[in-house]
Amino acid sequence: MQEDLQKALIRYNKKTWCKSALLGFFVGLAVIVPGISGSTVAIIFKLYDAFLYAVSNLFKQFKRCFFFLLPIALGIVLGLAAGFFTVQKALEYIPFAVVGGFAGLMCGAFPAVKDELKGARLTKKRVVLFLTGVCVPVAVALCSVFLSGGGNKDFSVWWRIALCLPVGAAVGLTQVVPGLSASAILMAIGYFTPLVESVHVTYWKENPIIFLTYAALGIGFLCGIFFASGALTKTFEKARQTAYFLIVGLSLGSIAAMFCNVEIFAVYKQWAATGIVWKDLWLGAALFAIGAAVAYLLVRYQRKKDAESAANKAAEAAKQQ
């Protein structure tokens, strides 16, 4: 297993570099868009195991892991910027349509995650893990509805800055555990909107102490992602298929969670009060269908490429014999 993962940290060509950068872009976007799980996207891109290995072994094999993670990191920065300045604006005007489009992509790509369970034997333990996985993202999303404090948080007090260390660790955890959404975690504790609103030059000038908050979140994030990556890599070495029953459940639950977090519930409340915005609803349905179709076609294409690659390897092995 370790040898296979080391081989996965190949030198990039133009195509694979762009693929990893695109993965990073979606991971960064996942921090902003409610319900999206960055690690689920990594599974879809067939880079999940290599990503975990590179993060957990960054200091042991610095050069190889660093250059593997570099395009992903650049993509994350671009994804965060896009999320703050474009997607977040779109969520203000057509929130259901935006969420519908992303949910469609996740739904269409779900078979790629489920492929990991081919040939796996069903046991009571694995079924429980799968059902637990489905429930966790939905429970976190519902907590964001019922427990969100809302309003502006005062990030100038020391204890709230210190609290950002475990909050950052939780966000880091969501980037390697499929099905968990960073935005849903932040919404559940009432930090999402205040942090998004703090990303503004005027706010920075008036509240320079916010950079201590960002630093605390960043340190916590790095601790969380390194710890979780190492733990998951070891878990996969010992019981990969059993662990994937939980991961498949988490991935499925994350799709449902996109439609039951605090941001989308605000849309439902508005519709209940003033009537359904049919343009947003029908556009969301259309984007869901388009996203699902496009993602599934990509999954089928990847399956075909994987089958061809396996056949070529088998043919080469037969020739050598």
Side-chain angles (χ1 to χ4, degrees):
M1 180 68 178
Q2 289 284 333
E3 291 179 3
D4 291 339
L5 289 173
Q6 288 185 45
K7 290 176 183 177
L9 303 183
I10 55 172
R11 290 188 177 183
Y12 283 118
N13 55 38
K14 188 175 180 180
K15 180 180 178 181
T16 55
W17 197 95
C18 290
K19 181 181 179 182
S20 290
L22 186 61
L23 164 64
F25 178 83
F26 280 112
V27 170
L29 205 60
V31 176
I32 306 302
V33 180
I36 294 184
S37 168
S39 44
T40 302
V41 178
I43 294 173
I44 294 164
F45 275 64
K46 303 288 185 180
L47 289 170
Y48 183 58
D49 290 319
F51 175 70
L52 289 182
Y53 180 85
V55 172
S56 60
N57 289 276
L58 181 60
F59 298 108
K60 296 177 182 177
Q61 303 177 42
F62 182 78
K63 186 176 179 181
R64 293 185 70 191
C65 294
F66 174 80
F67 284 107
F68 176 81
L69 292 170
L70 181 60
I72 298 175
L74 293 174
I76 288 174
V77 172
L78 290 174
L80 282 168
F84 275 117
F85 299 114
T86 58
V87 174
Q88 200 59 31
K89 283 293 181 184
L91 283 168
E92 290 180 18
Y93 298 105
I94 47 170
F96 188 84
V98 173
V99 171
F102 280 108
L105 288 169
M106 298 279 283
C107 191
F110 177 72
V113 184
K114 190 171 65 68
D115 283 348
E116 290 284 345
L117 298 185
K118 280 184 178 178
R121 186 170 59 89
L122 274 179
T123 65
K124 190 178 292 185
K125 178 182 178 181
R126 289 176 170 181
V127 171
V128 170
L129 284 172
F130 171 77
L131 293 175
T132 301
V134 172
C135 294
V136 166
V138 176
V140 171
L142 290 175
C143 284
S144 76
V145 176
F146 298 110
L147 301 181
S148 175
N152 291 321
K153 299 291 185 210
D154 181 9
F155 290 114
S156 64
V157 292
W158 68 268
W159 65 266
R160 198 178 292 282
I161 294 172
L163 188 61
C164 285
L165 286 168
V167 170
V171 172
L173 186 72
T174 66
Q175 299 312 296
V176 293
V177 179
L180 297 184
S181 164
S183 55
I185 294 286
L186 292 172
M187 286 173 185
I189 58 176
Y191 273 48
F192 182 75
T193 299
L195 282 171
V196 170
E197 291 176 346
S198 76
V199 183
H200 195 281
V201 175
T202 303
Y203 188 95
W204 293 341
K205 288 180 179 178
E206 295 175 354
N207 304 276
I209 200 170
I210 191 66
F211 290 103
L212 286 178
T213 299
Y214 296 157
L217 286 169
I219 292 169
F221 177 87
L222 292 174
C223 291
I225 199 170
F226 278 116
F227 172 78
S229 296
L232 282 170
T233 299
K234 291 178 181 178
T235 301
F236 287 155
E237 288 175 7
K238 295 178 180 177
R240 182 180 179 82
Q241 278 198 327
T242 299
Y244 253 91
F245 272 88
L246 178 64
I247 285 172
V248 170
L250 287 167
S251 301
L252 187 61
S254 71
I255 298 171
M258 294 191 72
F259 293 99
C260 58
N261 57 69
V262 70
E263 298 286 334
I264 208 69
F265 260 78
V267 175
Y268 301 153
K269 284 183 179 180
Q270 185 179 353
W271 286 358
T274 61
I276 296 173
V277 180
W278 292 102
K279 180 182 72 173
D280 194 15
L281 178 63
W282 287 115
L283 183 58
L287 289 176
F288 180 92
I290 293 169
V294 170
Y296 184 66
L297 287 174
L298 289 173
V299 169
R300 291 187 61 180
Y301 173 77
Q302 187 62 49
R303 283 173 174 171
K304 184 179 177 182
K305 295 289 287 184
D306 290 344
E308 289 175 356
S309 178
N312 290 336
K313 287 181 181 178
E316 287 177 9
K319 285 180 183 179
Q320 291 176 357
Q321 293 175 354

